[in-house]
Amino acid sequence: MRGVIPISENIFWVGVNDHETDLFEAIWPLPRGVSYNSYLVMGEKVAVIDSVKGSFLNHYVEKIRSLVGIGRKVDYIVVNHMEPDHSGAITALRQMFPDVKIIGNKKTAEFLRDFYRLTENVITVEDGGTIDLGGPRLKFVFTPMVHWPETIVTYEETQKVLFSCDAFGGFGALDDRIFDDEVDLAYYQDEFLRYYSNIVGRYSEMVQRAITKLKGLPIAVIAPSHGPIWRKNPSHIVTLYDRWSRHETEEGVTLVYASMYGNTRRMMEAISLSLADEGVEKVRVHDISRTHISFVLVDIWRFRGMIFGSPTYNTTLFPLMQNLVDVLRNDELKNRYIGVFGSYSWSKGAVSALHDFACCGRLTLVEPVVESKCAPTETDIEQCVLLGKNMACAIRK
Ligand code: FEO
C-alpha cells in the first residue's frame, strides 16, 4: 500500500504527513509540514511503536490494516511518549484490536488514564525492560524529560533500530521519501534546529543525559517520530543534537529589535553596520513584530552573539520582545554573549528590563548598554557602533 514503507524485513513506517496544521502545539508555524512517524514491528507478535495525531486516523488505520491483514491483530502498542501528536490514535487502535496491550512506564499509565481514560491492559515496564515479539526483541530505555516525564525510547535489538520518538526529530513532512539518503537534507537542516530550539531545547540537559545513556547501544537506524529516518548516517543527527544540547554555537550575531516609529530601528542599523565593518559575516536581523519567534529562536540557538533592542511600551518592554525574553528565560540559554539597547519617550523601562534579562541567567553582557530618549543622538549612535565592535570582539574570543 502507498505510504507503507519497509525499514527492514519486518519493520515498517506507517506514519502520516501533516500539511494541514498551521501551528504545531498551537504556537509554532509549519510552513513545510510535519510528519508523525509510527512504526509496525512484525514478529510472531505485532507491535505498533507510537501512533499519530488523531486527525489522521482514517489513513493511518488503513495502513495498519493493510499490513496486519485479516485474521491477525496488533498485540502491543508501545507508547514512547504521550503527547497527543503520538498518542492520538491509541483509542482507535484499542477499538480495532480490543485485546491490545499498551506498553509504557508508570507515568505513561497515569497519562493514559487522564488523557483517554484507558486503564485496562496497560503494561508498565521498568527501565531496561524487554519484550520478545518472536523474532524482533524490543528493549525500553527511559529518557525522562526529552521532553515529557514519561518519555522512553525503544530499541529493536536484532536489527539495531532505535525508535527515539521526539529525540532526534525535526519539522518538515516526508512525503513518501523517508530516509536520510533519499531526502534533501539541506532542505530540512533549519527545520531540525527549529524543532530543537522550539520544542526540545528547554530540556538540553536531559538530552545530554539521554545521549550519554544511549552511547552503549550499537545503532544501525534511528527512527524518530518526526522527520527523516536515519539509516545511512545516524550519527549525523546525534551529533547535531549533542552540539545543540551542549549550547555549542557558531560565530555570528542575531540582532532582534522592535521599533514603532523607526528610532530604535536607527540604533539597530548602526549596530548592524558596525558588525559588518568589523567583518562579522553572519548577522541575522529580525524585526520581532514581523518574524515569528519560532524562526528567531533558530538563529539565537545557532549563533554566539545576540543583541536585543526595544522601545519602551507602557513603561516596560515592547510586548513581542517581552515574549521573546520570557521564552528564552524559560529555555535557560547559556554560553552566549548578549548586548541590549532601546529607547523611551515619557517613561523608561525597556532597556532596564532587557538588562535584567541579560544579567540574570548564564549569559555574558557585552557593554555598552545603549538607551536613547525619543530619537537617538549622535552620541547614542556612537555607542551603538561601539556595542557592535565589542560584540564582534566577544564572539571571536
Ligand atoms: Fe512530538 Fe512531544 O511530541
Side-chain angles (χ1 to χ4, degrees), residues 116-135:
Y116 305 115
R117 314 290 165 238
L118 288 171
T119 53
E120 301 288 313
N121 273 341
V122 174
I123 299 177
T124 56
V125 291
E126 297 299 324
D127 192 9
T130 57
I131 188 162
D132 195 331
L133 298 178

Side-chain angles (χ1 to χ4, degrees), residues 24-25 81 83 85-86 147-148 166 195 199 226:
F24 190 80
E25 295 180 345
H81 175 30
E83 195 162 3
D85 53 332
H86 309 294
H147 63 114
W148 276 22
D166 279 349
Y195 176 81
I199 309 295
H226 301 291

